[in-house]
Amino acid sequence: VRDLHRDAISDPGGGYAKLLADVNGTSCAQLMLVVGTDEAGAQHPGWKNNLRTAFEIQEKICEKYPDLMRSVNLRRASFNQQLSPGYFILEAGNCGNTIDETMESIQLFAECFAEVVVG
């Protein structure tokens, strides 16, 4: 299960920050994987496996596109991630990013994700 979101980080002027990475001269929205745990009380015994999956994907992407990923965000809530192995949230850019910047990033993510899953 992939849960796709856009982050909402405000900038000092009251708008939204633009989270960008330059990949071979192309502006791409930065991505972030969010993994839930059982710390807030949910029954989520597989969260460490989900975290391991997120780290494998993060590592593959960082090998190819070092600036594309923000750090994995480990959270107290489960976000229903106990429902499926390998479940995580993908934050695709921020509200300040354009759809083109976001789509560029999603294509790079999909390429690396497929390599991890198939490989």
Side-chain angles (χ1 to χ4, degrees):
V1 176
R2 303 300 151 244
D3 191 353
L4 184 60
H5 291 246
R6 286 176 74 102
D7 216 341
I9 301 170
S10 299
D11 69 14
Y16 290 106
K18 193 172 182 121
L19 306 175
L20 286 175
D22 182 292
V23 177
N24 302 321
T26 300
S27 291
C28 299
Q30 285 187 315
L31 304 173
M32 179 175 67
L33 301 174
V34 180
V35 177
T37 68
D38 57 4
E39 192 174 326
Q43 294 292 325
H44 188 1
W47 73 265
K48 289 180 184 175
N49 289 330
N50 290 359
L51 180 61
R52 203 170 2 264
T53 300
F55 280 143
E56 287 178 36
I57 295 164
Q58 174 101 357
E59 182 178 40
K60 175 58 76 177
I61 294 170
C62 288
E63 284 172 9
K64 295 178 112 177
Y65 312 111
D67 297 327
L68 187 60
M69 297 298 295
R70 296 165 56 201
S71 297
V72 172
N73 187 339
L74 186 62
R75 302 290 299 272
R76 292 173 36 94
S78 70
F79 303 106
N80 291 320
Q81 292 177 6
Q82 71 274 18
L83 300 176
S84 179
Y87 189 151
F88 56 81
I89 295 170
L90 174 62
E91 295 278 359
N94 189 45
C95 292
N97 291 105
T98 67
I99 192 71
D100 289 337
E101 292 163 346
T102 304
M103 293 306 295
E104 290 287 343
S105 299
I106 293 297
Q107 289 176 343
L108 299 174
F109 175 85
E111 166 197 319
C112 294
F113 177 76
E115 288 178 25
V116 170
V117 171
V118 172

